[in-house]
Amino acid sequence: MKTSFERREFPLQHPFTIARGTQETAANVVVRVEDDAGNVGVGGAAPSSHYGETAGTVEAVLPDLLDVVERVDDPHALSRIESEMRTVVNDNPAARAAVSIACHDLAAKRADLPLYRYWGLDPSKTLDTSFTIGIDDPEVMREKTRDAVEAGYDTLKVKLGTDRDEELLSAVREAAPEAAIRVDANEAWSPREAVRNIEWLADCGVEFVEQPVPAENREGLKFVYERAALPIAADESCITASDVPAVADRCDIANLKLMKTGGLREAKRLIHAARAHGLEVMCGCMIESNASIAAAAHLAPLLDYADLDGSLLLAEDDFEGVPMPEGRIDLEAMDRPGTSARET
Ligand code: MG
């Protein structure tokens, strides 16, 4: 087995603002693992500073993680690779996710199967990804919404958590009267403020609200969940499968991300844990290229909601992945094995 990695900076289509700040480029790290027959698996890390990672920290730990792959020397030993990686580097989930994705891509390529078939999943049970409208001036959000609707996206995710949330959401709703709208406050509200806001959001026909209050305010999340007029999704409050029992009585939806779980196997564990606790499941993402989004798309048959627009928010992506015409994650249109991530 041979391994390598390299940093890529992707420009975004628009500066991307959420309650915590603005991002203008996405620094991803692309990982490759190659078997002796020359099959190459590709994965990507999209580190998030919110979880203490940067492209630099990813690059710092990848040599140790890729040592694990070379030492195990079996691309199908996915369970062993993920658990040994956790022993070597317990934090740094985006770095571990990149290696996990690359190994899954390689394993499925060796079997000559798309990843969803390697897993035995039903590709007809797919769904649409939402398309995210970041925080901006109301006129700009209205314009971005018009563009998104024109491009065929009929499920939007709107970032809120400002002092003019009603104005912003109204601008989006006016521009997309028919769209399904989900709202993500990224921890910005107090519990009482959240309950009040969710009342008018329900009047605007919003579908659900993600992470209304800070992750550390567990009682606050429960306060909101017990009073909210809409379903609540937990994102920053739900990182790995072991967080599921603690949020199960204070949200309706668990939002997993590969860059939080640190790998595809842990992502599937989270899905099953959430189901066992009666939660619905969404898969979200960071601003990511198809080096990693392509893999997350194969989880679609296991999900209730998908928020996998990471590559769609880039001005250009060096990788193509699973086709998403008008937001529909089209696994059946896949014509190549693995995750389908391919450098363009
Ligand atoms: Mg979120």
Side-chain angles (χ1 to χ4, degrees), residues 157 159 184 186 210 235-236 255 257:
K157 172 157 138 174
K159 294 290 193 178
D184 187 356
N186 285 109
E210 193 178 320
D235 178 0
E236 287 88 340
N255 183 18
K257 290 178 183 163

